[in-house]
Amino acid sequence: MLILLAIVFSCQTKEDKSAGIGSVNDLVLADSLILSLDERSTPEFNYHQIGDFLDQESFINLNLVNNSLDFYNLSEGEIIHRIQFASEGPDRITNVGGFYYHNEDSIFLLQKMTISNIKLIDIKGKITNQLSPILPLDLEIPGLINHFSTSLSPSYFFQNAIYFDQGILKNTSAPGVLGGDFRSSGRFDLNSDSVFLFPKSGFPHFYKDKALPIYLSISSRVLGKNNEWIYSWNALDSILVYDLNMNDRKAIYSKSKFKEKDIPNTPNASLEVELEVVISNTHYCKVLYDPYRKNYLRFVQIGRFFNPDQDNTIMSIFKNDFSIMLYDENWDFISESFFEGSKHNFYHAFIGQKGLYIPRTNPNFEGLDEDKVVFDIYDLL
């Protein structure tokens, strides 16, 4: 379920929708890229990364349908390399739930819901090492770290350590759960072969007296300028910034212009009530760092009227409109731009040299094509 949460994460009048559109700082559609799909490709980009391969800027996607790692160049949108994982035999690679591409000799394949059994492969798919660290004794559930690595909260290999986040295994709509001492972030030190969970990580103070649906209790985080962790919690207006070891936190207040009310508590709520709260309330979903122009972006899911006859799964969230808040490298606010729902899938958006890439892979988009994916490219200069 946590993988689904990572993947899917107030009606607006015409005046509301057009607020800010046409202003100097709005994002400008500058270009588009057609990503060609072959018979083994997938338009699911829940686990992806931008990296250099064969001296080309490449979009690297974990293809769980084909059990492979697919490399596309961002100049032509063509697949240029594929690492096919063996599904049987002594070198089989299964249960992959994320990856980190360091270079052509070091690609980390991360396992679902664990920080153990990490496989290090080269560009040919050969397993060069397997990593299973010593785990802390004081885990929420002994022996288990609920590690995940998606486009919302990717894991990083940095300074010979893997930095990761984990998801809570308790019901966050139960009173008191969000007020516990859950540690959400950790470091797997490859030198000492051990895992350390940062004591100051976990739910922000704002969450302590809340009971919220799990969909609103998660965060998105990236490694930003000066090796700082940037956290955007779904129900928190402020963005939280930490140093590499999760100390020296600072909060940057930044409320979306589309958020008109606070998200209500939902103690012990039913699934329908949780869906209504998620769909009808504006909340924050994704944060990105632009290393080329030193900007930060925050994505906002805009609340709308909840129809219980039609909105019966979390996938209904893709009907919602969304906005993108843009900041400079010093966190000075630049603009907030509006996008209509049912066309783009901003959960799969990424930053490239040309700007912001957002795919037209919304499940409600009428122009979906099984042979290609169109990425709209927005100018961030």
Side-chain angles (χ1 to χ4, degrees):
M1 185 176 75
L2 287 166
I3 293 175
L4 173 63
L5 302 179
I7 295 173
V8 296
F9 271 18
S10 109
C11 299
Q12 300 296 326
T13 65
K14 291 183 179 179
E15 181 179 358
D16 289 330
K17 287 185 176 182
S18 62
I21 290 184
S23 66
V24 177
N25 292 320
D26 273 341
L27 300 181
V28 175
L29 180 61
D31 202 351
S32 63
L33 171 73
I34 297 178
L35 200 72
S36 300
L37 304 179
D38 63 15
E39 67 278 1
R40 292 186 289 167
S41 299
T42 175
E44 293 295 330
F45 306 133
N46 301 321
Y47 312 89
H48 66 255
Q49 186 184 338
I50 305 304
D52 290 327
F53 174 66
L54 298 178
D55 297 323
Q56 300 181 70
E57 184 185 29
S58 300
F59 174 73
I60 310 167
N61 184 53
L62 178 60
N63 182 346
L64 294 180
V65 175
N66 186 54
N67 202 33
S68 63
L69 202 60
D70 299 346
F71 293 69
Y72 301 83
N73 63 38
L74 284 181
S75 57
E76 303 295 334
E78 301 292 337
I79 188 164
I80 54 177
H81 186 66
R82 172 174 282 139
I83 301 175
Q84 184 68 58
F85 307 145
S87 57
E88 298 179 350
D91 294 328
R92 65 182 180 275
I93 297 176
T94 58
N95 201 42
V96 181
F99 74 98
Y100 184 83
Y101 175 83
H102 184 57
N103 55 41
E104 295 181 18
D105 294 321
S106 300
I107 305 170
F108 295 85
L109 299 182
L110 310 169
Q111 296 284 289
K112 295 177 183 177
M113 299 183 69
T114 179
I115 200 66
S116 299
N117 301 319
I118 296 173
K119 291 180 173 60
L120 187 63
I121 65 172
D122 61 19
I123 199 64
K124 296 180 180 180
K126 179 183 177 181
I127 299 174
T128 59
N129 200 357
Q130 299 193 59
L131 309 170
S132 290
I134 302 169
L135 299 180
L137 298 176
D138 57 342
L139 297 177
E140 182 183 18
I141 297 179
L144 178 61
I145 287 182
N146 186 23
H147 167 246
F148 60 88
S149 179
T150 69
S151 60
L152 291 178
S153 292
S155 298
Y156 294 83
F157 176 68
F158 184 73
Q159 295 181 352
N160 211 35
I162 296 174
Y163 290 82
F164 64 90
D165 269 5
Q166 66 164 332
I168 193 167
L169 292 166
K170 297 179 180 179
N171 178 11
T172 57
S173 67
V177 170
L178 293 175
D181 57 357
F182 173 66
R183 294 168 293 170
S184 60
S185 302
R187 178 185 64 231
F188 171 14
D189 189 327
L190 272 64
N191 292 321
S192 62
D193 193 34
S194 61
V195 168
F196 176 75
L197 296 178
F198 296 112
K200 294 184 179 180
S201 67
F203 296 110
H205 182 74
F206 172 80
Y207 279 40
K208 298 301 182 184
D209 58 348
K210 305 291 183 182
L212 298 171
I214 187 66
Y215 311 104
L216 298 179
S217 302
I218 60 176
S219 65
S220 172
R221 75 100 167 80
V222 293
L223 189 62
K225 188 183 72 170
N226 299 324
N227 297 326
E228 293 179 324
W229 294 115
I230 313 301
Y231 274 82
S232 174
W233 289 88
N234 285 20
L236 184 65
D237 292 327
S238 294
I239 293 171
L240 303 182
V241 181
Y242 301 82
D243 67 13
L244 193 63
N245 294 315
M246 295 298 293
N247 296 310
D248 303 325
R249 188 189 75 179
K250 61 181 177 182
I252 300 159
Y253 182 74
S254 186
K255 183 178 181 179
S256 168
K257 66 183 178 183
F258 297 104
K259 187 178 179 185
E260 299 178 350
K261 58 183 180 179
D262 290 334
I263 296 173
N265 280 343
T266 55
N268 301 318
S270 65
L271 177 59
E272 181 175 319
V273 170
E274 289 195 353
L275 285 173
E276 180 176 4
V277 170
V278 173
I279 289 171
S280 65
N281 285 273
T282 296
H283 57 278
Y284 310 95
C285 295
K286 183 181 177 79
V287 63
L288 287 175
Y289 173 59
D290 178 0
Y292 306 102
R293 290 150 291 262
K294 311 301 181 185
N295 292 325
Y296 294 95
L297 295 86
R298 193 185 200 192
F299 294 75
V300 184
Q301 197 95 60
I302 300 173
R304 61 173 173 84
F305 175 75
F306 174 77
N307 184 337
D309 295 327
Q310 299 178 1
D311 300 323
N312 48 24
T313 74
I314 191 58
M315 297 299 290
S316 295
I317 198 68
F318 285 105
K319 301 174 187 176
N320 289 45
D321 301 329
F322 68 93
S323 68
I324 301 176
M325 305 178 74
L326 181 65
Y327 314 80
D328 68 14
E329 63 179 319
N330 298 313
W331 287 104
D332 291 325
F333 177 74
I334 297 175
S335 66
E336 183 171 7
S337 300
F338 172 86
F339 291 77
E340 290 188 351
S342 297
K343 179 179 181 180
H344 295 98
N345 185 345
F346 70 79
Y347 295 98
H348 298 160
F350 64 86
I351 301 292
Q353 293 179 11
K354 287 187 176 180
L356 170 66
Y357 291 67
I358 315 179
R360 302 180 192 174
T361 53
N362 191 297
N364 302 297
F365 179 46
E366 294 181 354
L368 287 175
D369 190 327
E370 63 181 13
D371 297 322
K372 64 184 180 182
V373 170
V374 177
F375 282 85
D376 289 329
I377 307 174
Y378 290 86
D379 194 349
L380 294 174
L381 296 178

